[in-house]
Amino acid sequence: MVSTPPAATHNSGRQYVPDVPESVLDQASPNQFLMPLTAQVNGKDHLEIGGCDVVTLVQQFGSPLYVLDEATLRAACRQYRQAFQRHYPGESLVIYASKAWNCLAVCAIAASEGLGLDVVSGGELHTALTAGVDPSVIYLHGNNKSVDELQMAIATGITIVVDNWLELETLVELAKATSAADESPQAPVRIMLRLTPGIECHTHDYIRTGHLDSKFGFDPDQIESVFAFVQQHSTVLHCVGLHAHIGSQIFELQPHQDLAGVLVQWLVKAADYGLTLEELDIGGGLGIRYTESDDPPSIDQWTQVICKAVVDACGDRQIPLPKLIAEPGRSLIGSACVTAYTLGSQKTVPGIRTYVTVDGGMSDNPRPITYQSLYRTVVANRMSAPMTEAVTVAGKHCESGDVLIKDATLPPTHPGDILVVMGTGAYNYSMASNYNRLPRPASVLVGEGDASLILRRETYADLLAHDCLPHRLTRPPSEGSGS
Ligand code: LLP
């Protein structure tokens, strides 16, 4: 099994390029590599991903461009599924946390690999259903779901992961109203309960969710009254299990191991209230390698630890194994994508730094300015040029903080060079904005030398598509002044 990525070396054209032999491509854990698994340097000294020359892709589809490698995404999906099959003797389901990148093509790929889907809004649900994802493997999250979203979830028969009391009470009313309107008994609404397990983990404060001071889920001191309530309303609510998610970009295995133990303990408690819960969803959170110093566990290692913790905890308490669900986002898609930019202006502040500027920035990748996230980059049209320059890669937005990479090492660069930033598959497109009215970039799916557009570049017409100009503002000033 290939689980250790090759060391990244400086001053060599092939740094960051994974060099995974095709024969073991499916076994390398994508989250441990800086680049998509199919990345190579071609005869023109250009970066190639999925058999496509990235420089040519930019000429064809424009810049900036998200380049998503299908083989890497599929490899990660398969590894999660196979790892659960290998390490868990009971039933299991991997659901893709589509908030990482929700669009039709990505939902369809996840579903075609046998994954379910985690959605967090009516919009993500609509996309998943339109992509043809089976509602029986869709789970709806969210700490403030609207009545519309809940009605949509009930109508489509997906599972709702209930976060709080208001939602629980609203669901009871909606389920009763649906039954009454149809004048026939409806199947109870399928729900899970989200718990706040009180588990600390080391990641950015904004992406920690399992500690007690969190806006998500029921706190431990409320759980027993929630169980009693759910049992009382079992004609309209069918509670199938428990869920928790402790945070994102986590490299430690211990917090997930602890989480499994805590959740099994609550499964046992639920039985005291007459609830037989068959599903346990341990969330997502496995981190990826954004820089050489990041050393995340492989998908297989993460899965093995969790499966063992659940099996041991169930064995200790002598309860049957639940259906085990995991919902990874970042570790499925993060390393499968790079963003290609075209370099423009440069500025040297003597004795301080040299800025090189890309044609995008915080609007297509808001992670550096939001979480101080680190990224690595290469010049795709001169892959073997020695990396001799220390530069700061800035975006084009009217904001000093719009810096993608503060301390990048690059070959000498020129306007027109194609700069590729790695590890941009998760929470880049999905958090992209139109700040400064920049149209969102296009996305292409690459594989076996073929590139297909999966998200068209926005146009200026798209930017105006939702603008409304009240009639009175269209009159010339002299007509409008009146008095
Ligand atoms: N399940 C739930 C309930 C979640 O809230 C999340 C992520 C996941 C699963 C997937 O977690 P992952 O495997 O991707 O770590 N925008 C931030 C990340 C926010 C994560 C939100 N929830 C970032 O760019 O780092």
Side-chain angles (χ1 to χ4, degrees), residues 28-33 37 71-80 84 94-97 100-101 115 245 247-251 256 283-290 296-300 302-303 306 326-337 423 425-427:
S29 193
N31 69 316
Q32 297 188 311
F33 291 84
L37 298 180
T72 305
L73 175 56
R74 287 190 184 277
C77 293
R78 274 176 214 160
Q79 280 179 35
Y80 264 111
F84 274 92
V94 179
I95 60 181
Y96 165 54
W101 187 343
L115 270 57
H245 168 75
S248 202
Q249 184 61 359
I250 300 171
F251 290 0
H256 281 101
L286 173 61
I288 70 167
R289 188 171 218 222
Y290 285 108
S298 68
I299 290 173
D300 189 75
W302 187 84
T303 307
I306 283 166
E327 44 189 35
R330 189 191 313 269
S331 53
L332 272 175
I333 200 162
S335 315
C337 180
Y427 307 108

Side-chain angles (χ1 to χ4, degrees), residues 16 34-36 47 49 54 65-67 290 334-343 358 361 364-365 367-368 373-380 393-394 403-405 408 410 418-425 428:
Y16 309 134
L34 290 166
M35 280 264 189
L47 176 65
I49 296 175
V54 174
L65 184 68
Y66 296 113
V67 179
Y290 285 108
S335 315
C337 180
V338 302
T339 308
Y341 300 95
T342 305
L343 280 183
V358 296
D364 60 76
N365 185 358
R367 298 194 69 258
S373 309
L374 303 178
Y375 283 89
R376 286 293 175 259
T377 181
V378 289
V379 175
V393 179
V403 164
L404 288 181
I405 306 171
L410 287 177
I418 305 300
L419 195 82
V420 157
V421 175
M422 297 166 249
T424 57
N428 272 226

Side-chain angles (χ1 to χ4, degrees), residues 22 62 83 167 213 217 222 293 296 323 337 365 369 454:
E22 207 165 320
E167 187 181 339
D213 180 8
Q222 300 174 17
S293 57
K323 173 170 173 176
C337 180
N365 185 358
I369 199 167
I454 57 169

Side-chain angles (χ1 to χ4, degrees), residues 194-200 209-212 214 216-220 223 243-247 255 258-260 262-263 266:
R194 176 167 186 165
L195 311 182
T196 312
I199 287 176
E200 300 286 334
T209 51
H211 54 306
L212 284 178
S214 162
F216 298 105
F218 292 102
D219 289 340
I223 296 173
H243 164 275
H245 168 75
I246 54 175
D258 296 346
L259 173 64
V262 169
L263 284 177
W266 287 114

Side-chain angles (χ1 to χ4, degrees), residues 300-381:
D300 189 75
Q301 286 164 333
W302 187 84
T303 307
Q304 183 171 17
V305 164
I306 283 166
C307 293
K308 184 172 181 320
V310 173
V311 170
D312 289 352
C314 291
D316 289 348
R317 292 172 176 81
Q318 299 189 328
I319 60 163
L321 289 179
K323 173 170 173 176
L324 185 53
I325 302 176
E327 44 189 35
R330 189 191 313 269
S331 53
L332 272 175
I333 200 162
S335 315
C337 180
V338 302
T339 308
Y341 300 95
T342 305
L343 280 183
S345 63
Q346 302 203 353
K347 174 182 177 181
T348 298
V349 186
I352 302 186
R353 66 178 69 250
T354 295
Y355 289 95
V356 299
T357 312
V358 296
D359 51 354
M362 60 186 284
S363 56
D364 60 76
N365 185 358
R367 298 194 69 258
I369 199 167
T370 313
Y371 316 112
Q372 299 74 52
S373 309
L374 303 178
Y375 283 89
R376 286 293 175 259
T377 181
V378 289
V379 175
N381 52 307

